[in-house]
Every structure is written in C-alpha cells, then in structure tokens.
DNA sequence: GTGAAAGCGCTAACAA
DNA sequence: TTGTTAGCGCTTTCAC
C-alpha cells in the first residue's frame, strides 16, 4: 500500500480548524490565536506534515525559486560567481535551478524558456555576449533578469560588473611603466563587448598615454583550451612581445608555464598580468600579478539586486559597477 | 494592464477543441488526429502558449526536477561531479535544483527537506560522511536518492564511487617500490569512511606487504585551508617522511609548492602522489603523479542511476564502483 | 479520436 | 480570529 501523502486538509481535520487556519500557521500569519496555533503545530508535528511547494506555487504564483544560467559550472570563474549567487539566494530563502548553456546562444534561449515554464521568480544570467535573440526573450516575459559579469548594451535588465576598461588600462600602464614596448593582450572573443569594447579600449588608451603604438599583431583573441596553450605561447613569443595581459587565470597560468618551460625567465625576461585573482595566481610559481575582480561579490550583489527586482522595490540604478583591485605579485618586475 | 497569461484553456477555446486534446498534443500523445494536432499547434504558436510546469507538476505529481546537494560548488572536485550530473540530467530532460550544504549535517538535513517540499523527483547527494540523521531522512521519504562519491554503510540508497582502498594501496605501493620507508598519508577527516576506512586500509595493506611498519605519526588528518598548508608541509617534513600521498589536488599542489619553496627537490628528495587528476596536476611544476578518479563519470553515472530509480526500472546493483586509473607524472621518481 | 469533469494541494479574497 | 469557497493551470480517468 502506498504511503498516503499528508495534506493541509488532513491537518485541518485533525486539528478541528479550517484549511485557511492551517495555511496561516504555516505561513506565519500573525492573525491566529496562540492556542490555535499551538494546536495546529502539534498536529503538523504528529502527522509529519510538509507543505507542498508546488501546490503553493500554483496558488500563489510565486515559487521562491530563481533560475541561474551558467556557461560551465566547472569553470572556476563562473563557479565563484555561482557561490556568491547561491549564498545570497539561501539568505533570502530562494532555491536555485541551475541551467548550463555552454555559452551557446541556442541553448541559452532554450534553458531560459525552460526556466520560465518552471515559473521561476527571477533569473541570474552568466555568459559572454548577449545576443539580440536573447535580449528579445528577456523582454518577452516580465520575469526580472540580472546579468552577472555580463553587459547589456540596452540596459534593459539589471547587471553587475566591474569597470573592465579601467582594470585593463591599469594593467597596461604597469607594464608600460616597467619599460615594456611590446605588450600583448590575450583575451576571449572580441565580439564579447567586455573584451572587444571595454578591455580593448582600456588597453589602447593606456598605450596612447604611454606613447606606444597600437599593433594588431599583439592582440590575441582566443578561447581557452588545454591544447591551445603551447601554440599560443609560441605565437606570443614570436610576436616580439615582452609582456602580456591575459584575461583568464587558467590561460595565464598555462602561458606562464609554457614560457618558463622554454627557459625564459619570468619576470626578468617576460612579464605577465592576469585578471581574476583566483587561487591559481597564488599556486603559480612565480605568483601572478593580477587585477582582482570581486567574483564572489559580483554574484552576491547580482542576486541581491534580483531580490529587490522580484520584490518590486525601487532601485535607483540597475547597472551596478563594483570596485576592483590590483595585486602586484611576482610575475611582474614591480 | 497586466499581460494576461495564456493557459491551456485559451488554446482549447481558440482551436475549438477540449483542454484534454491540447494536453495530448503538448505531451506528444499519439491519439490525436493529425489534422487536429496541426490546428492545435498553430494556435499554440499564434498565442505563444507555454505550458506551466508548476501546474503540470501538481496535476501529474512529477516535476522533472531533481535536487542536487553539494558541499561547495566552487570546489573543483565537486563542480567536476556536478558537471557530469548536469549533463546527464539535461540529456534526460531533468532540471536541477542546486542546494549547498557546506558539508554540515544540519544544513544537509535542512536542504534535503526543502528539496522534498519542492517535490523533486529524485536526489543526488554529494558530501563527506552520511550521518544517521541524514540516513533516517533519506528513508523517511520514498524519493530515490543516489550518493555521488560518498558511501552509505547501509547500502539503502544508490551510490557511485571508485575503489578508494585499492587506489590508495596502489599509490602506497609505488612509493614503497621507489624506496621510501616513510610514507605520509594526508587525508580529510578520518570519520569519513572513505578516508578512515577505505583509504587508510589500502595504505596499511600496502605497507604490510612491503614490510613497512604502520606509524600513526605519518597520518595527517586535515581540512583544506589556504592558510594551513605552510604549517602542514612543515609538519610533514618534520615527521621524517620522504614522500606523501595526498587525497586532494589543491592540497597536494600547496604542499608541493611549500616543500619546493624550502629548497627541497621533488621528486629527488621528496615524492608526492595525489588523488583526483584535476587540471591542477598538469599546471603544477613538476606535474603531479596521481590516481585518476573519473570525476565527471561518477557524476554522470549517478544521475543515470537516478533516472532509472525514478523510472522504477530494475537495477541489478545500486552500489556502483567505477574503474580508476593511475598516472605517473613528474612528482615521483617513476 | 475526443470531450467532460474531477481533482492535484494550496492561497487568498471575502464573509462571518 | 476563523471559516467558506473559488480558483491556480494542468493531467487523467471515464465516457462516448
């Protein structure tokens, strides 16, 4: 015989009250006489009653669940963001439906729709660039959306980022000040506005202020891949670069190793700066000088912003820029 | 004016059919005349109708959602498992509710109950040891549970693991064969049966077969923490050990660095073997010899097993042991 | 092949 | 302070 599920109705019957009263007790509604509350709580305990969140979601049109779209959960950058998102979500009693996109637009649209069909109260989106198609989907529903570490040119949805241009400019400035004439920039796809607009601009600006010419041959657009690192390092060296700014820690570490494996001394003969200050910059030898993005905070603040949006609170500014830092370690002369 | 949500009723009305027929079309039920199906699909498209998964969940008592309990999503070991879980879940059209436990029993019980209240169809649990309290909760509900990389002494729920004892024994054997008389074992909590039972036993067995005495002073029980590594490395060296087996890659890398920073040569003067073959073993210098656990597969197989359990398929064996490997790299003499 | 109607377990007016 | 009663949007018998 199947074990019968206990419903709110069973509790009401046993406690000699109405379903509404049980509902009030369960939801902490103060309009219940203490005696009644006590009686109901006893029955709930005795029957081992657990409210059915799905039924509740249907009736109230709130699921206390948010969707989180992530390109790759096993990527340290994204999982750091996810950690921040998750902690704040827990704090505000939300659960998270995690959906992987592999950074592919088609899948992004797909999972977005699945999440919406599951009636999530809001969505945090991590990814590279936001295609028009995706933006269209965002505005098609009234479910609030926040981008964590991604930029929406339209500024229709919320977003949390750092000032990538400034960060990249600072890194370039340091390398220029250290006497480098040939500074390589190694980034992800330039189609992604964070790279192609912000970072590239910051880089160019710093070059100009240092009276260094901008050379296309020093800009390396790449996707991270274990096998590509050796070849990439080779090309960077051949380009004549004496230093490099890398926008991803794993990649920077790979390049650092490849360069040193060739007998080139870091930082004496080659300097390298990276971008995310994950623990990889610490376990590398030498430790890598890095921009420090507050990854956890970007995630946390995104989720916090989303709670406000879901709650229909007034937010003065939906486009949040968090401060970043710069940590000089041992992969640069100073 | 609020945008009205389109329901199955709207579609039925517009298409001049009943809700039941629309439901059949949406669910791919073959008992619908092609003409009717076409008509309904057109209306669905025109109205931009999206089925409400919550309502569907309430009516059908299936949510196509599984709960995943994870100690720390930003930990490379767990996120590798999660990746495998997620991929297979997607393959079988399940969504994932991710719930963090920090490895604390209290939170584990807590999130388990939240997940059950959200009516997940099944649960994948990652964690260290399974307390009695947790086991009691597992058996309290009939929702299927699978442990990924964790052991249930009772064997009541499903689980996917490797043979940790054998893996640890192999590592010990290698170090013994290389001439080490003092082999340190650095593991997480010995209360966790994977460490305290399996790994420790494998270690002892290998020692015995190599005619080496077991010394308690060579067993280091530790939790990973950035700040503890220096001190730990110091203690390992002082213990007289000339080699170490470490059960966590980050930790192994930290120890490797700390030892080399002290001017000790690896592998000439100190050999080290680690356990998870994450990319960290590759970016380390020297690269670290390691047991290779098929992390992604453990996750993937767990989820696959769970789909069978949720589907009430017969499974001959709920306790799955996956094969592991051993990769000799540069942190051991051979 | 299709429709009518009874729930699924809960919330939220509204009334008392 | 409490109860009555519609739904929420869908699935699923059971008839026809």
């Amino acid at each position: 015989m199947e074990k019968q599920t206990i419903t709110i109705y069973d509790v009401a019957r046993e406690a000699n009250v109405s379903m509404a009263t049980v509902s009030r007790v369960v939801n902490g509604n103060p309009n219940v006489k203490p005696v009644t509350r006590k009686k109901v709580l006893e029955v709930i305990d005795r029957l081992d009653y657990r409210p059915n969140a799905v039924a509740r979601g249907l009736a109230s049109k709130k699921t206390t669940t948010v969707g989180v779209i992530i390109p790759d959960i096993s990527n340290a950058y994204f999982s750091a963001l996810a950690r921040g998102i998750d902690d704040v979500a827990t704090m505000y009693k939300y659960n998270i439906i995690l959906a992987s996109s592999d950074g592919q637009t088609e899948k992004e649209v797909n999972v977005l729709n699945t999440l919406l069909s599951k009636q999530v109260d809001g969505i945090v989106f991590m990814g590279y660039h936001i295609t028009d198609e995706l933006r269209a989907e965002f505005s098609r529903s009234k479910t609030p959306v926040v981008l964590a570490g991604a930029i929406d040119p339209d500024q229709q949805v919320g977003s949390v980022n750092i000032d990538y241009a400034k960060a990249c400019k600072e890194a370039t400035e340091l390398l220029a000040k250290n006497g480098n004439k040939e500074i390589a920039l190694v980034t992800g796809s330039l189609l992604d506005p964070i790279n192609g607009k912000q970072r590239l601009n910051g880089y160019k600006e710093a070059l100009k202020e240092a009276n260094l010419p901008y050379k296309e041959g020093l800009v390396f657009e790449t996707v991270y891949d274990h096998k590509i690192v050796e070849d990439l390092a080779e090309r960077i060296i051949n380009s004549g670069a004496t230093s490099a700014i890398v926008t991803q820690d794993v990649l920077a570490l790979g390049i650092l190793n490849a360069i040193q494996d060739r007998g080139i001394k870091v930082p004496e003969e080659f300097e390298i700066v990276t971008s995310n200050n994950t623990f990889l910059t610490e376990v590398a030898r030498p430790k890598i000088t890095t921009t420090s993005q507050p990854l956890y905070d970007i995630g946390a603040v995104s989720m916090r912003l989303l709670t406000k949006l879901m709650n229909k609170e007034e937010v003065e500014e939906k486009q949040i820029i968090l401060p970043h830092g710069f940590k000089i370690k041992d992969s640069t002369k100073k």
Side-chain angles (χ1 to χ4, degrees), chain A:
Chain A
M1 182 179 105
E2 273 289 311
K3 199 199 294 180
Q4 187 58 50
T5 38
I6 312 290
T7 73
I8 199 173
Y9 177 76
D10 299 316
V11 177
R13 182 170 31 73
E14 289 286 312
N16 285 315
V17 295
S18 71
M19 288 163 59
T21 298
V22 177
S23 177
R24 287 187 188 100
V25 171
V26 169
N27 292 299
N29 184 320
N31 294 340
V32 181
K33 220 197 297 181
V35 196
T36 320
R37 180 187 307 283
K38 184 148 171 289
K39 186 172 59 178
V40 172
L41 284 174
E42 274 169 11
V43 175
I44 285 179
D45 198 51
R46 178 156 58 78
L47 264 46
D48 195 22
Y49 164 71
R50 307 179 194 201
N52 178 325
V54 172
R56 190 187 291 206
L58 182 59
S60 69
K61 296 181 174 296
K62 291 208 193 81
T63 53
T64 61
T65 302
V66 304
V68 174
I69 300 177
I70 192 169
D72 179 5
I73 190 187
S74 62
N75 172 308
Y77 172 82
F78 292 117
S79 70
L81 294 181
R83 187 67 219 253
I85 294 170
D86 186 75
D87 282 357
V88 174
T90 304
M91 200 176 301
Y92 286 87
K93 312 276 184 211
Y94 282 95
N95 283 107
I96 277 178
I97 298 190
L98 224 247
S100 296
S101 67
D102 289 327
Q104 298 169 215
T105 303
E106 199 190 336
K107 289 199 191 170
E108 286 170 347
V109 173
N110 235 311
V111 298
L112 175 61
N113 282 316
T114 318
L115 290 174
L116 292 176
S117 80
K118 297 231 166 168
Q119 314 300 118
V120 294
D121 296 336
I123 287 176
V124 178
F125 179 92
M126 289 173 269
Y128 305 97
H129 69 257
I130 315 294
T131 59
D132 291 338
E133 196 181 347
L134 198 58
R135 212 176 300 122
E137 294 289 334
F138 282 158
S139 50
R140 197 150 76 91
S141 81
K142 63 249 149 293
T143 309
V145 174
V146 173
L147 311 178
I151 288 172
D152 172 26
D154 280 4
Q155 316 217 336
Q156 291 308 295
V157 299
S159 71
V160 180
N161 290 280
I162 64 161
D163 185 339
Y164 305 101
K166 191 156 155 239
C168 196
K169 188 177 171 191
E170 289 164 3
T172 313
E173 281 170 352
L174 174 72
L175 292 177
K177 213 171 295 170
N178 283 356
N180 292 283
K181 304 285 178 225
E182 313 281 321
I183 304 169
L185 175 65
V186 185
T187 82
S189 167
L190 295 174
L191 291 176
D192 173 353
I194 288 181
N195 296 318
K197 290 253 166 58
Q198 305 220 25
R199 283 182 171 138
L200 192 57
N201 286 348
Y203 170 74
K204 284 179 179 171
E205 236 176 81
L207 287 182
K208 190 192 282 177
E209 291 179 9
N211 284 315
L212 294 173
Y214 166 70
K215 303 179 185 170
E216 266 197 9
L218 287 174
V219 177
F220 297 84
E221 187 178 4
T222 182
V223 284
Y224 175 72
D225 183 344
H226 208 80
K227 299 150 203 154
I228 222 173
V229 173
E230 286 294 323
D231 177 54
L232 180 63
E234 191 72 38
R235 283 167 48 220
I236 294 173
I237 293 167
N238 290 340
S239 74
T242 59
S243 60
I245 295 161
V246 185
T247 63
Q248 215 187 116
D249 288 358
V250 231
L251 194 56
L253 180 48
I255 293 171
L256 174 67
N257 280 336
I259 285 179
Q260 294 188 117
D261 288 351
R262 278 170 177 70
I264 298 173
K265 299 248 179 309
V266 176
E268 295 81 358
E269 302 169 359
F270 196 97
E271 295 182 77
I272 187 165
V273 178
T274 186
S275 299
N276 296 335
N277 197 28
T278 60
F279 78 104
L280 289 178
T281 63
E282 284 294 316
V283 298
R285 288 297 177 272
K287 296 180 181 174
I288 313 176
T289 293
T290 182
T291 291
S292 66
Q293 291 193 49
L295 297 184
Y296 177 91
D297 294 350
I298 292 179
V301 172
S302 301
M303 186 62 212
R304 180 61 184 106
L305 173 58
L306 186 61
T307 61
K308 290 182 185 168
L309 261 26
M310 291 187 297
N311 222 17
K312 300 201 193 306
E313 292 175 31
E314 272 303 316
V315 290
E316 61 297 334
E317 179 56 63
K318 291 206 299 187
Q319 318 294 319
I320 299 181
I321 301 296
L322 257 31
H324 62 271
F326 196 80
K327 283 243 173 47
I328 298 194
K329 299 187 183 175
D330 309 326
S331 67
T332 51
K333 290 177 192 159
K334 51 185 177 180

